[in-house]
Amino acid sequence: MENVPRVVVVGAGAAGIAAVCKLYQSGLRNLTLLEGSQRIGGRICTKPFGSGIIELGAQWCHGEKDNVVFQMASVYPGLLKSSLVANDGAMMRSNGTQVPEELVERLMALAESIVESKERNTFAGSLGDFFSQQYWNKLQTDSAFEDVSRDLAEQFLVYYHNYERGYNAYDSWYEVAANESDSYVVSEGNQVLAWMGEKGFSTILDIVSGNYPGIVDTTLTPVPLDTLIKYGRFVTNIQWNATPNTTVLVTTDDGSHYEADHVIVTVSLGVLKENHQTMFTPSLPTVNLDAIRGLYFGTVNKIVILFDAPIPSDFPNTLQLLWFESDLQTLRKSEHAWTEAISTFFRIDNQPNVVAAWMNGIEGRQAELLPDETIIEGVQHILNIFANNIHFGKVQSIIRSNWSSDRHFRGSYSSRSITTERLKTGAKYLATPLLNDDGKPVVQFAGEATSWKSYSTVHGAIESGQREADRLIHLYNVHV
Protein backbone atom coordinates (compact mmCIF):
# COMPACT_ATOMS: atom_id res chain seq x y z
CA MET A 1 0.00 0.00 0.00
CA GLU A 2 1.23 3.51 -0.79
CA ASN A 3 2.69 5.64 1.97
CA VAL A 4 -0.02 8.23 1.29
CA PRO A 5 -3.30 6.32 1.36
CA ARG A 6 -6.02 7.25 -1.09
CA VAL A 7 -9.32 7.72 0.73
CA VAL A 8 -12.69 8.19 -0.94
CA VAL A 9 -15.56 9.39 1.23
CA VAL A 10 -19.05 8.78 -0.15
CA GLY A 11 -21.62 11.41 0.83
CA ALA A 12 -21.07 15.04 1.86
CA GLY A 13 -23.52 15.12 4.75
CA ALA A 14 -22.50 15.75 8.34
CA ALA A 15 -20.73 12.38 8.68
CA GLY A 16 -18.89 12.65 5.38
CA ILE A 17 -17.76 16.21 6.04
CA ALA A 18 -16.62 15.26 9.55
CA ALA A 19 -14.66 12.27 8.25
CA VAL A 20 -12.88 14.04 5.41
CA CYS A 21 -12.09 17.07 7.57
CA LYS A 22 -10.58 15.06 10.42
CA LEU A 23 -8.47 13.10 7.94
CA TYR A 24 -7.28 16.30 6.28
CA GLN A 25 -6.60 18.03 9.58
CA SER A 26 -4.62 14.96 10.70
CA GLY A 27 -2.32 15.13 7.69
CA LEU A 28 -3.90 12.56 5.37
CA ARG A 29 -4.44 14.65 2.24
CA ASN A 30 -5.09 12.23 -0.66
CA LEU A 31 -8.84 12.62 -0.25
CA THR A 32 -11.86 12.66 -2.53
CA LEU A 33 -15.40 13.38 -1.36
CA LEU A 34 -18.13 12.12 -3.71
CA GLU A 35 -21.55 13.77 -3.39
CA GLY A 36 -24.55 12.65 -5.41
CA SER A 37 -26.39 15.98 -5.22
CA GLN A 38 -25.23 19.52 -5.90
CA ARG A 39 -24.83 20.65 -2.30
CA ILE A 40 -23.20 19.66 0.97
CA GLY A 41 -24.97 19.03 4.26
CA GLY A 42 -27.17 16.03 3.52
CA ARG A 43 -30.00 16.07 6.04
CA ILE A 44 -28.71 19.41 7.31
CA CYS A 45 -30.65 21.51 4.82
CA THR A 46 -30.72 25.23 5.57
CA LYS A 47 -32.66 27.28 3.02
CA PRO A 48 -33.26 31.03 2.56
CA PHE A 49 -36.95 31.73 3.11
CA GLY A 50 -39.02 34.72 4.13
CA SER A 51 -36.93 37.26 5.99
CA GLY A 52 -34.22 34.78 6.92
CA ILE A 53 -33.59 31.05 6.81
CA ILE A 54 -35.44 27.86 7.68
CA GLU A 55 -34.27 24.32 8.38
CA LEU A 56 -35.85 21.71 6.12
CA GLY A 57 -33.83 19.00 7.82
CA ALA A 58 -32.11 19.02 11.20
CA GLN A 59 -33.78 21.73 13.27
CA TRP A 60 -32.14 22.06 16.67
CA CYS A 61 -29.02 21.11 18.60
CA HIS A 62 -30.33 18.46 20.99
CA GLY A 63 -28.65 18.73 24.37
CA GLU A 64 -25.34 20.00 25.69
CA LYS A 65 -23.49 17.28 27.60
CA ASP A 66 -21.39 14.91 25.48
CA ASN A 67 -22.70 16.57 22.32
CA VAL A 68 -19.99 17.41 19.81
CA VAL A 69 -22.24 19.89 18.01
CA PHE A 70 -22.84 21.88 21.18
CA GLN A 71 -19.19 21.62 22.22
CA MET A 72 -18.01 23.06 18.90
CA ALA A 73 -20.69 25.74 18.50
CA SER A 74 -21.14 26.98 22.07
CA VAL A 75 -17.73 28.68 22.10
CA TYR A 76 -19.17 31.29 19.73
CA PRO A 77 -21.39 33.69 21.72
CA GLY A 78 -24.92 33.99 20.45
CA LEU A 79 -24.68 31.19 17.91
CA LEU A 80 -27.03 28.87 19.84
CA LYS A 81 -30.09 30.07 21.69
CA SER A 82 -33.05 28.31 23.26
CA SER A 83 -35.77 28.09 20.62
CA LEU A 84 -39.07 29.83 21.15
CA VAL A 85 -40.76 26.41 20.87
CA ALA A 86 -39.47 25.64 24.36
CA ASN A 87 -42.25 27.84 25.74
CA ASP A 88 -45.87 28.76 25.06
CA GLY A 89 -47.25 25.54 23.69
CA ALA A 90 -50.92 24.65 23.46
CA MET A 91 -52.82 21.41 22.95
CA MET A 92 -56.07 21.96 21.04
CA ARG A 93 -58.96 19.61 20.37
CA SER A 94 -60.72 19.47 17.02
CA ASN A 95 -63.81 21.13 18.52
CA GLY A 96 -61.73 24.27 19.09
CA THR A 97 -61.24 23.89 22.85
CA GLN A 98 -57.85 23.98 24.53
CA VAL A 99 -56.73 21.34 27.00
CA PRO A 100 -55.73 23.06 30.27
CA GLU A 101 -51.96 23.47 30.50
CA GLU A 102 -51.74 21.80 33.89
CA LEU A 103 -53.55 18.74 32.56
CA VAL A 104 -51.28 18.58 29.51
CA GLU A 105 -48.24 18.62 31.80
CA ARG A 106 -49.64 15.77 33.88
CA LEU A 107 -50.43 13.64 30.84
CA MET A 108 -47.05 14.32 29.23
CA ALA A 109 -45.26 13.44 32.47
CA LEU A 110 -47.21 10.19 32.63
CA ALA A 111 -46.39 9.35 29.00
CA GLU A 112 -42.70 10.07 29.46
CA SER A 113 -42.54 7.97 32.61
CA ILE A 114 -44.01 5.02 30.71
CA VAL A 115 -41.58 5.38 27.79
CA GLU A 116 -38.63 5.64 30.17
CA SER A 117 -39.74 2.92 32.61
CA LYS A 118 -37.51 -0.06 33.35
CA GLU A 119 -40.49 -2.38 32.90
CA ARG A 120 -40.00 -1.97 29.15
CA ASN A 121 -36.90 -4.12 29.38
CA THR A 122 -38.85 -7.23 30.31
CA PHE A 123 -41.90 -6.73 28.08
CA ALA A 124 -42.01 -9.17 25.17
CA GLY A 125 -44.37 -7.25 22.87
CA SER A 126 -44.33 -3.96 21.00
CA LEU A 127 -43.84 -0.50 22.44
CA GLY A 128 -47.41 0.29 21.39
CA ASP A 129 -48.79 -2.63 23.37
CA PHE A 130 -46.63 -1.82 26.38
CA PHE A 131 -47.50 1.87 26.38
CA SER A 132 -51.24 1.30 25.94
CA GLN A 133 -51.40 -1.23 28.76
CA GLN A 134 -49.45 0.95 31.17
CA TYR A 135 -51.32 4.09 30.15
CA TRP A 136 -54.83 2.73 30.65
CA ASN A 137 -53.87 0.97 33.86
CA LYS A 138 -52.50 4.19 35.32
CA LEU A 139 -55.53 6.25 34.29
CA GLN A 140 -57.92 3.71 35.76
CA THR A 141 -56.13 3.14 39.06
CA ASP A 142 -54.51 6.48 39.92
CA SER A 143 -56.84 9.04 41.44
CA ALA A 144 -54.56 11.80 40.14
CA PHE A 145 -56.14 11.25 36.72
CA GLU A 146 -59.78 10.90 37.71
CA ASP A 147 -60.53 14.24 36.02
CA VAL A 148 -59.38 12.89 32.62
CA SER A 149 -62.40 11.99 30.52
CA ARG A 150 -62.41 8.88 28.36
CA ASP A 151 -62.50 10.82 25.09
CA LEU A 152 -59.64 13.08 26.16
CA ALA A 153 -57.61 10.05 27.25
CA GLU A 154 -58.17 8.43 23.86
CA GLN A 155 -57.27 11.63 22.01
CA PHE A 156 -54.10 12.09 24.00
CA LEU A 157 -53.07 8.49 23.33
CA VAL A 158 -53.41 9.11 19.58
CA TYR A 159 -51.51 12.39 19.91
CA TYR A 160 -48.66 10.86 21.90
CA HIS A 161 -48.35 8.09 19.35
CA ASN A 162 -48.00 10.81 16.69
CA TYR A 163 -45.44 12.56 18.87
CA GLU A 164 -43.39 9.37 19.19
CA ARG A 165 -43.70 8.72 15.45
CA GLY A 166 -42.26 12.14 14.72
CA TYR A 167 -39.57 11.95 17.38
CA ASN A 168 -38.36 8.54 16.22
CA ALA A 169 -39.35 8.56 12.53
CA TYR A 170 -41.36 5.35 12.48
CA ASP A 171 -44.86 4.73 11.13
CA SER A 172 -46.24 2.93 14.17
CA TRP A 173 -45.07 2.07 17.65
CA TYR A 174 -46.53 -1.38 17.07
CA GLU A 175 -43.52 -1.94 14.79
CA VAL A 176 -41.13 -1.16 17.64
CA ALA A 177 -40.04 -3.58 20.33
CA ALA A 178 -40.61 -2.38 23.88
CA ASN A 179 -37.31 -3.97 24.86
CA GLU A 180 -34.66 -2.35 22.66
CA SER A 181 -31.09 -3.60 22.81
CA ASP A 182 -29.71 -0.35 21.34
CA SER A 183 -30.43 2.37 23.89
CA TYR A 184 -30.51 5.93 22.63
CA VAL A 185 -28.77 8.24 25.09
CA VAL A 186 -30.25 11.71 25.45
CA SER A 187 -27.60 14.42 25.83
CA GLU A 188 -28.41 16.34 28.98
CA GLY A 189 -29.39 19.97 28.65
CA ASN A 190 -31.61 22.04 26.40
CA GLN A 191 -33.09 19.87 23.65
CA VAL A 192 -34.20 22.73 21.41
CA LEU A 193 -31.19 24.99 20.88
CA ALA A 194 -31.83 27.01 17.72
CA TRP A 195 -29.18 28.41 15.40
CA MET A 196 -28.98 32.19 15.33
CA GLY A 197 -26.40 32.62 12.59
CA GLU A 198 -27.33 33.57 9.04
CA LYS A 199 -26.38 30.09 7.81
CA GLY A 200 -28.41 28.23 10.42
CA PHE A 201 -27.51 24.63 11.20
CA SER A 202 -25.18 24.62 8.17
CA THR A 203 -22.82 26.70 10.30
CA ILE A 204 -21.63 23.50 11.96
CA LEU A 205 -20.12 22.39 8.64
CA ASP A 206 -18.01 25.55 8.56
CA ILE A 207 -16.90 24.95 12.15
CA VAL A 208 -16.00 21.30 11.54
CA SER A 209 -14.04 22.21 8.42
CA GLY A 210 -12.16 25.05 10.13
CA ASN A 211 -13.71 27.62 7.81
CA TYR A 212 -15.92 29.50 10.27
CA PRO A 213 -14.92 33.20 10.57
CA GLY A 214 -12.82 33.76 13.64
CA ILE A 215 -12.41 30.05 14.31
CA VAL A 216 -11.58 29.51 17.98
CA ASP A 217 -10.03 26.04 17.80
CA THR A 218 -6.67 26.69 16.16
CA THR A 219 -6.07 22.95 15.75
CA LEU A 220 -8.77 22.86 13.05
CA THR A 221 -6.79 23.48 9.90
CA PRO A 222 -9.06 25.07 7.25
CA VAL A 223 -10.11 22.31 4.87
CA PRO A 224 -10.44 23.30 1.17
CA LEU A 225 -13.70 21.41 0.69
CA ASP A 226 -14.27 22.86 -2.78
CA THR A 227 -11.12 21.15 -4.03
CA LEU A 228 -12.01 17.80 -2.43
CA ILE A 229 -15.71 17.49 -3.34
CA LYS A 230 -16.98 16.19 -6.64
CA TYR A 231 -20.69 16.96 -7.00
CA GLY A 232 -23.23 15.01 -9.03
CA ARG A 233 -21.41 11.72 -8.35
CA PHE A 234 -23.99 9.20 -7.18
CA VAL A 235 -22.09 6.04 -6.28
CA THR A 236 -23.50 2.97 -8.02
CA ASN A 237 -20.87 0.36 -7.18
CA ILE A 238 -18.00 -0.26 -4.80
CA GLN A 239 -15.79 -3.18 -5.84
CA TRP A 240 -14.04 -3.91 -2.60
CA ASN A 241 -12.42 -7.34 -2.68
CA ALA A 242 -11.72 -8.33 -6.24
CA THR A 243 -8.38 -6.84 -7.24
CA PRO A 244 -4.92 -8.32 -6.59
CA ASN A 245 -3.50 -5.16 -4.99
CA THR A 246 -6.54 -4.71 -2.69
CA THR A 247 -7.45 -1.45 -4.42
CA VAL A 248 -11.11 -0.50 -4.05
CA LEU A 249 -12.83 0.67 -7.23
CA VAL A 250 -15.69 3.15 -6.86
CA THR A 251 -18.03 3.77 -9.80
CA THR A 252 -20.53 6.62 -10.08
CA ASP A 253 -23.61 6.93 -12.27
CA ASP A 254 -21.89 9.25 -14.73
CA GLY A 255 -19.38 6.49 -15.53
CA SER A 256 -16.52 7.91 -13.47
CA HIS A 257 -14.17 5.54 -11.64
CA TYR A 258 -12.10 6.22 -8.52
CA GLU A 259 -9.41 3.95 -7.10
CA ALA A 260 -8.88 4.03 -3.37
CA ASP A 261 -7.15 2.24 -0.54
CA HIS A 262 -10.06 3.01 1.76
CA VAL A 263 -13.67 4.05 1.21
CA ILE A 264 -15.85 5.56 3.94
CA VAL A 265 -19.53 5.18 3.06
CA THR A 266 -21.73 7.77 4.77
CA VAL A 267 -24.91 7.58 2.69
CA SER A 268 -28.22 7.31 4.52
CA LEU A 269 -29.60 3.99 5.68
CA GLY A 270 -32.45 4.60 3.24
CA VAL A 271 -30.00 4.66 0.33
CA LEU A 272 -28.34 1.48 1.60
CA LYS A 273 -31.71 -0.26 1.90
CA GLU A 274 -32.59 0.62 -1.68
CA ASN A 275 -29.21 0.05 -3.34
CA HIS A 276 -27.03 -2.32 -1.31
CA GLN A 277 -27.61 -5.29 -3.62
CA THR A 278 -26.02 -3.48 -6.58
CA MET A 279 -23.82 -1.08 -4.66
CA PHE A 280 -21.29 -3.57 -3.35
CA THR A 281 -19.22 -6.18 -5.23
CA PRO A 282 -18.95 -8.74 -3.78
CA SER A 283 -22.11 -8.60 -1.68
CA LEU A 284 -21.92 -7.33 1.86
CA PRO A 285 -21.29 -9.78 4.69
CA THR A 286 -24.31 -10.96 6.67
CA VAL A 287 -23.46 -8.77 9.65
CA ASN A 288 -23.88 -5.62 7.55
CA LEU A 289 -26.84 -6.96 5.57
CA ASP A 290 -28.81 -7.82 8.69
CA ALA A 291 -28.21 -4.32 10.03
CA ILE A 292 -29.38 -2.70 6.80
CA ARG A 293 -32.49 -4.87 6.71
CA GLY A 294 -33.22 -4.71 10.43
CA LEU A 295 -32.67 -1.07 11.37
CA TYR A 296 -35.69 1.13 10.81
CA PHE A 297 -35.58 4.20 8.57
CA GLY A 298 -38.62 6.42 8.54
CA THR A 299 -39.73 9.78 7.22
CA VAL A 300 -40.58 13.02 8.96
CA ASN A 301 -41.33 16.00 6.74
CA LYS A 302 -41.95 19.70 7.23
CA ILE A 303 -44.23 22.14 5.48
CA VAL A 304 -43.18 25.78 5.96
CA ILE A 305 -45.57 28.56 4.96
CA LEU A 306 -44.89 32.30 4.66
CA PHE A 307 -47.77 34.73 5.18
CA ASP A 308 -47.90 38.40 4.16
CA ALA A 309 -48.45 39.43 7.78
CA PRO A 310 -47.04 38.36 11.14
CA ILE A 311 -48.58 35.29 12.73
CA PRO A 312 -51.12 36.61 15.28
CA SER A 313 -49.83 36.81 18.85
CA ASP A 314 -52.56 34.53 20.15
CA PHE A 315 -51.24 31.65 18.02
CA PRO A 316 -48.96 29.60 20.31
CA ASN A 317 -45.33 28.79 19.61
CA THR A 318 -46.34 25.14 19.23
CA LEU A 319 -49.83 23.82 18.55
CA GLN A 320 -50.45 20.13 19.20
CA LEU A 321 -53.50 18.54 17.59
CA LEU A 322 -56.02 16.26 19.31
CA TRP A 323 -58.77 14.77 17.15
CA PHE A 324 -62.25 13.72 18.14
CA GLU A 325 -62.81 10.37 16.43
CA SER A 326 -65.87 11.64 14.55
CA ASP A 327 -63.91 14.63 13.21
CA LEU A 328 -61.04 12.36 12.20
CA GLN A 329 -63.39 10.06 10.32
CA THR A 330 -64.81 13.07 8.47
CA LEU A 331 -61.28 14.19 7.58
CA ARG A 332 -60.37 10.75 6.24
CA LYS A 333 -63.31 10.89 3.82
CA SER A 334 -62.37 14.34 2.52
CA GLU A 335 -59.90 15.62 -0.06
CA HIS A 336 -57.67 16.66 2.84
CA ALA A 337 -57.23 13.13 4.20
CA TRP A 338 -53.45 13.39 3.92
CA THR A 339 -53.44 16.15 6.58
CA GLU A 340 -53.89 13.52 9.27
CA ALA A 341 -50.10 13.35 9.00
CA ILE A 342 -49.84 16.81 10.59
CA SER A 343 -49.20 16.34 14.28
CA THR A 344 -47.92 19.78 15.28
CA PHE A 345 -47.64 23.37 14.08
CA PHE A 346 -44.74 25.46 15.29
CA ARG A 347 -43.33 28.94 14.84
CA ILE A 348 -39.88 29.52 13.38
CA ASP A 349 -37.28 31.50 15.33
CA ASN A 350 -36.70 34.99 13.92
CA GLN A 351 -39.43 34.51 11.30
CA PRO A 352 -42.58 36.32 12.52
CA ASN A 353 -44.54 35.66 9.32
CA VAL A 354 -43.83 31.93 9.13
CA VAL A 355 -45.50 28.84 10.53
CA ALA A 356 -44.41 25.24 9.97
CA ALA A 357 -46.19 21.90 10.15
CA TRP A 358 -44.64 18.61 11.23
CA MET A 359 -45.65 15.61 9.09
CA ASN A 360 -45.39 11.95 10.09
CA GLY A 361 -45.79 8.50 8.63
CA ILE A 362 -47.42 7.08 5.54
CA GLU A 363 -49.63 10.07 4.85
CA GLY A 364 -46.65 12.37 5.18
CA ARG A 365 -44.78 10.40 2.53
CA GLN A 366 -47.82 10.40 0.25
CA ALA A 367 -48.09 14.18 0.59
CA GLU A 368 -44.65 14.56 -0.98
CA LEU A 369 -46.29 13.81 -4.35
CA LEU A 370 -49.00 16.47 -4.05
CA PRO A 371 -48.71 19.95 -5.65
CA ASP A 372 -48.04 23.00 -3.49
CA GLU A 373 -51.57 24.34 -4.06
CA THR A 374 -53.09 21.20 -2.54
CA ILE A 375 -50.69 21.36 0.39
CA ILE A 376 -51.57 25.00 1.11
CA GLU A 377 -55.30 24.24 0.97
CA GLY A 378 -54.85 21.32 3.36
CA VAL A 379 -52.81 23.31 5.88
CA GLN A 380 -55.35 26.13 5.84
CA HIS A 381 -58.13 23.59 6.37
CA ILE A 382 -56.41 22.24 9.51
CA LEU A 383 -55.68 25.75 10.80
CA ASN A 384 -59.37 26.60 10.36
CA ILE A 385 -60.24 23.62 12.57
CA PHE A 386 -57.69 24.07 15.35
CA ALA A 387 -57.20 27.87 15.24
CA ASN A 388 -60.56 28.96 13.86
CA ASN A 389 -60.63 32.21 15.81
CA ILE A 390 -57.22 33.36 14.58
CA HIS A 391 -56.90 35.35 11.39
CA PHE A 392 -53.86 34.63 9.25
CA GLY A 393 -52.73 36.74 6.34
CA LYS A 394 -52.48 35.58 2.75
CA VAL A 395 -50.04 32.83 1.86
CA GLN A 396 -47.06 34.26 0.01
CA SER A 397 -44.82 31.22 -0.35
CA ILE A 398 -44.33 27.61 0.67
CA ILE A 399 -41.31 25.37 1.01
CA ARG A 400 -41.31 21.75 2.15
CA SER A 401 -39.14 18.69 2.51
CA ASN A 402 -39.51 15.52 0.48
CA TRP A 403 -37.06 13.18 2.17
CA SER A 404 -38.69 9.93 1.14
CA SER A 405 -38.97 10.61 -2.60
CA ASP A 406 -35.42 12.02 -2.84
CA ARG A 407 -33.13 9.23 -4.05
CA HIS A 408 -30.24 10.75 -2.14
CA PHE A 409 -31.96 9.99 1.20
CA ARG A 410 -35.13 7.82 0.97
CA GLY A 411 -36.16 8.95 4.43
CA SER A 412 -35.20 11.12 7.38
CA TYR A 413 -33.40 9.18 10.12
CA SER A 414 -33.02 5.79 11.73
CA SER A 415 -34.67 4.12 14.69
CA ARG A 416 -35.27 0.61 16.00
CA SER A 417 -37.99 -1.91 15.18
CA ILE A 418 -39.16 -5.39 16.07
CA THR A 419 -37.17 -6.58 13.04
CA THR A 420 -34.05 -5.01 14.55
CA GLU A 421 -34.47 -7.09 17.67
CA ARG A 422 -35.45 -10.26 15.79
CA LEU A 423 -32.26 -10.10 13.72
CA LYS A 424 -30.25 -9.22 16.84
CA THR A 425 -28.64 -6.35 15.03
CA GLY A 426 -27.92 -2.69 15.67
CA ALA A 427 -25.83 0.32 14.75
CA LYS A 428 -22.48 -1.24 15.69
CA TYR A 429 -23.15 -4.06 13.22
CA LEU A 430 -23.87 -1.62 10.42
CA ALA A 431 -20.59 0.10 11.34
CA THR A 432 -18.59 -3.13 10.95
CA PRO A 433 -15.85 -2.40 8.38
CA LEU A 434 -15.10 -4.62 5.39
CA LEU A 435 -11.57 -5.98 5.67
CA ASN A 436 -9.06 -7.13 3.08
CA ASP A 437 -7.01 -10.30 3.37
CA ASP A 438 -4.50 -8.48 5.56
CA GLY A 439 -7.23 -7.51 8.04
CA LYS A 440 -7.14 -3.83 7.12
CA PRO A 441 -10.37 -1.88 6.60
CA VAL A 442 -11.09 -1.18 2.95
CA VAL A 443 -14.72 -0.09 3.30
CA GLN A 444 -16.01 1.65 6.42
CA PHE A 445 -19.45 2.93 7.34
CA ALA A 446 -20.45 6.17 9.06
CA GLY A 447 -23.62 8.22 9.43
CA GLU A 448 -26.22 8.65 12.13
CA ALA A 449 -27.54 5.11 11.61
CA THR A 450 -24.12 3.73 12.64
CA SER A 451 -24.17 5.54 15.99
CA TRP A 452 -25.33 3.17 18.72
CA LYS A 453 -25.96 5.89 21.31
CA SER A 454 -26.85 9.01 19.28
CA TYR A 455 -28.57 7.65 16.17
CA SER A 456 -30.98 10.05 14.43
CA THR A 457 -28.93 13.12 15.39
CA VAL A 458 -26.39 15.40 13.76
CA HIS A 459 -24.01 14.98 16.68
CA GLY A 460 -24.27 11.21 16.20
CA ALA A 461 -23.47 11.63 12.50
CA ILE A 462 -20.46 13.86 13.15
CA GLU A 463 -19.11 11.56 15.85
CA SER A 464 -19.44 8.59 13.49
CA GLY A 465 -17.50 10.34 10.74
CA GLN A 466 -14.76 11.23 13.19
CA ARG A 467 -14.77 7.64 14.50
CA GLU A 468 -14.04 6.23 11.06
CA ALA A 469 -11.42 8.87 10.36
CA ASP A 470 -9.74 7.90 13.63
CA ARG A 471 -9.69 4.28 12.47
CA LEU A 472 -7.44 5.27 9.54
CA ILE A 473 -5.44 7.80 11.55
CA HIS A 474 -4.53 5.06 14.00
CA LEU A 475 -3.83 2.60 11.17
CA TYR A 476 -1.25 4.91 9.69
CA ASN A 477 0.04 6.20 13.02
CA VAL A 478 -0.63 9.77 12.03
CA HIS A 479 0.22 12.25 14.79
CA VAL A 480 -1.84 15.42 14.82
Side-chain angles (χ1 to χ4, degrees):
M1 188 173 285
E2 298 177 29
N3 292 328
V4 181
R6 300 161 296 175
V7 182
V8 169
V9 178
V10 181
I17 294 293
V20 81
C21 289
K22 182 147 196 182
L23 290 169
Y24 186 94
Q25 290 159 347
S26 298
L28 297 175
R29 300 294 173 84
N30 194 349
L31 308 169
T32 302
L33 181 51
L34 302 178
E35 169 54 42
S37 71
Q38 296 298 325
R39 66 172 183 87
I40 68 170
R43 285 163 278 170
I44 297 176
C45 187
T46 308
K47 294 284 188 180
F49 188 71
S51 59
I53 55 96
I54 54 96
E55 307 287 1
L56 279 185
Q59 185 82 30
W60 300 291
C61 172
H62 296 297
E64 301 162 43
K65 184 179 180 181
D66 299 325
N67 182 330
V68 66
V69 171
F70 178 81
Q71 292 165 357
M72 299 183 81
S74 60
V75 297
Y76 302 97
L79 191 55
L80 293 174
K81 182 180 179 181
S82 185
S83 172
L84 52 77
V85 303
N87 302 296
D88 187 30
M91 186 171 285
M92 298 292 294
R93 305 171 82 177
S94 56
N95 64 356
T97 61
Q98 181 175 344
V99 181
E101 183 177 348
E102 182 275 334
L103 184 51
V104 173
E105 291 176 353
R106 267 193 288 148
L107 288 171
M108 288 297 291
L110 168 62
E112 290 169 4
S113 70
I114 295 172
V115 169
E116 296 170 3
S117 68
K118 294 181 179 180
E119 287 80 2
R120 280 185 63 175
N121 299 331
T122 57
F123 189 83
S126 71
L127 174 59
D129 289 325
F130 174 78
F131 188 96
S132 298
Q133 290 180 22
Q134 296 288 318
Y135 176 75
W136 288 117
N137 180 64
K138 191 72 172 179
L139 291 184
Q140 292 164 3
T141 60
D142 192 334
S143 60
F145 298 99
E146 61 186 9
D147 59 334
V148 179
S149 64
R150 178 75 186 192
D151 62 348
L152 177 57
E154 290 174 345
Q155 292 164 13
F156 181 82
L157 181 62
V158 172
Y159 162 75
Y160 198 77
H161 184 200
N162 281 335
Y163 170 82
E164 280 286 304
R165 293 198 308 159
Y167 190 79
N168 295 288
Y170 49 64
D171 286 355
S172 169
W173 57 11
Y174 294 102
E175 299 175 287
V176 179
N179 181 9
E180 295 179 315
S181 55
D182 260 355
S183 297
Y184 177 82
V185 177
V186 176
S187 295
E188 295 177 14
N190 194 329
Q191 297 299 304
V192 285
L193 289 165
W195 292 83
M196 296 293 114
E198 62 182 17
K199 294 182 71 175
F201 214 138
S202 298
T203 304
I204 194 63
L205 304 177
D206 291 336
I207 297 175
V208 169
S209 63
N211 290 304
Y212 188 68
I215 193 80
V216 172
D217 189 346
T218 56
T219 66
L220 298 180
T221 304
V223 180
L225 288 175
D226 287 344
T227 67
L228 303 180
I229 300 176
K230 296 187 181 297
Y231 293 101
R233 303 293 202 276
F234 189 92
V235 171
T236 54
N237 186 254
I238 299 172
Q239 190 171 347
W240 60 275
N241 195 22
T243 55
N245 61 356
T246 69
T247 295
V248 183
L249 181 64
V250 180
T251 302
T252 58
D253 61 355
D254 66 345
S256 299
H257 300 283
Y258 302 87
E259 291 187 354
D261 300 303
H262 308 278
V263 175
I264 302 177
V265 177
T266 73
V267 299
S268 76
L269 176 59
V271 170
L272 289 175
K273 283 180 177 290
E274 182 174 64
N275 300 295
H276 70 84
Q277 290 181 314
T278 55
M279 192 174 180
F280 297 93
T281 305
S283 298
L284 290 173
T286 301
V287 63
N288 305 91
L289 287 177
D290 281 351
I292 292 171
R293 293 166 179 157
L295 293 173
Y296 199 96
F297 197 71
T299 303
V300 175
N301 278 318
K302 296 174 192 171
I303 301 169
V304 187
I305 294 181
L306 172 69
F307 293 90
D308 64 356
I311 307 302
S313 59
D314 49 350
F315 188 81
N317 289 342
T318 60
L319 179 64
Q320 300 151 332
L321 313 184
L322 267 63
W323 286 95
F324 280 90
E325 182 62 25
S326 58
D327 293 333
L328 192 55
Q329 291 302 324
T330 299
L331 180 74
R332 288 171 177 169
K333 296 174 184 177
S334 75
E335 62 184 334
H336 306 302
W338 64 269
T339 60
E340 184 179 346
I342 298 176
S343 63
T344 306
F345 287 100
F346 60 101
R347 290 178 180 262
I348 301 294
D349 292 280
N350 305 316
Q351 290 268 36
N353 292 29
V354 172
V355 68
W358 210 278
M359 303 265 291
N360 300 329
I362 296 171
E363 300 88 357
R365 291 196 296 276
Q366 293 171 340
E368 294 184 14
L369 307 178
L370 298 176
D372 284 352
E373 295 76 13
T374 301
I375 297 295
I376 293 172
E377 291 172 3
V379 169
Q380 290 177 318
H381 176 72
I382 298 300
L383 287 173
N384 287 336
I385 293 174
F386 288 92
N388 58 5
N389 61 337
I390 298 177
H391 177 71
F392 296 86
K394 294 182 179 179
V395 174
Q396 281 194 321
S397 183
I398 180 175
I399 189 171
R400 53 197 176 115
S401 60
N402 296 288
W403 295 113
S404 178
S405 54
D406 190 328
R407 75 163 182 156
H408 300 104
F409 304 101
R410 296 303 189 209
S412 301
Y413 44 87
S414 67
S415 60
R416 304 298 174 258
S417 71
I418 289 176
T419 305
T420 310
E421 301 306 311
R422 179 174 57 81
L423 293 177
K424 294 181 172 55
T425 188
K428 65 181 179 181
Y429 299 103
L430 179 59
T432 304
L434 310 183
L435 309 179
N436 64 12
D437 293 339
D438 295 328
K440 294 181 179 178
V442 289
V443 177
Q444 299 157 244
F445 296 91
E448 56 85 12
T450 72
S451 171
W452 41 95
K453 295 298 183 183
S454 302
Y455 52 87
S456 81
T457 68
V458 173
H459 59 271
I462 290 176
E463 289 168 352
S464 73
Q466 294 174 338
R467 177 194 71 218
E468 295 309 312
D470 281 337
R471 195 187 299 271
L472 296 182
I473 291 167
H474 294 152
L475 179 65
Y476 290 97
N477 294 314
V478 176
H479 298 286
V480 180

